[in-house]
Amino acid sequence: GTAGVGGAAIRQRKQGLLLTMGTGSTLSLVQAKLAAARSVTVLTGAGISADSGVPTFRGPDGLWRNFRAEDLATPEAFVRDPKLVWEWYNWRRELIATKRPNAAHDVVAQMERRIERFWLITQNVDGLHRDAGSRQLSEIHGNIWKVRCTTCRQVSDNREVPIPILPSCGRCAGLLRPHIVWFGEGLAEEDLQASDAALRNCDICLIIGTSGLVYPAAGFAAVAKRAGAFVVEVNLDPPQRSGVVDATLQGRAKDIVPLLFQA
Ligand code: APR
């Protein structure tokens, strides 16, 4: 049955009890599980960086000149109009350059140091997890501070803000592109393997701030669940993933994540 009015709502689901934030028992359940966990895998999306001032992709401030990420982050868009795509990335680089990790990034970095086996899978390209000290991570959609030559394929760091348009390779003068996985492109084999191993071998899988709309990341929670993990979701919105998530904590990542793990 449905209990509770207002904040605390406990809904009995056919796949077990879905507890939402506001029921103290959810928090203490997750705290206890994390404290006892030998192996934790964290998956993050734009929501963890929203509290640092980086707009999410599908939130109210997710558009640039009325373009959606799906319009610009594609190989076709880059072939058609590389200048426009670089203008968008320059806008994002300029914006991200002034942003700092928030408490949620910091706690995720502390988990890495305190939990026996830990891996972070992030869809974010803003580099804020690295800035917070995370090192055991897969940046499965790339990193906005890396560029790749479209001719010789060399990947290099580039922190120029703005980066001159159109940027050319220092080695072969070929056209540089952001080292980011675009829609329609595959993830790096190394990242897929590291993510799969981490998802199949964790006691707890913590999903923070992702809409779960873009694959393969959208299927990662189910991989962990099938392998026996206890799946926890932290999201500003009400729970979406029916049947996969064991406990949902609704609210801002910067407020909730520090409560889950006492460093
Ligand atoms: N705390 C927690 N969650 C939040 C917060 C917050 N402060 N703010 C927003 N969210 C949640 C939203 O409810 C939403 O579920 O974060 C999620 C952001 O969803 P998206 O904008 O779709 O971002 P993401 O899931 O990371 O997108 C996945 O899509 O555009 C591509 O490659 C890009 O990596 C990106 C991928």
Side-chain angles (χ1 to χ4, degrees), residues 45-47 51 56-58 123 141 209-211 214 235-237 252-253:
D51 293 325
T56 62
F57 291 94
R58 294 166 185 87
Q123 302 171 86
H141 291 167
T210 179
S211 58
V214 175
N235 199 298
L236 193 57
D237 283 348
R252 293 197 159 282

Side-chain angles (χ1 to χ4, degrees), residues 18-37:
L18 180 70
L19 304 169
T20 58
M21 186 60 189
T23 52
S25 59
T26 316
L27 203 48
S28 46
L29 172 69
V30 176
Q31 284 169 334
K33 282 191 171 286
L34 270 175

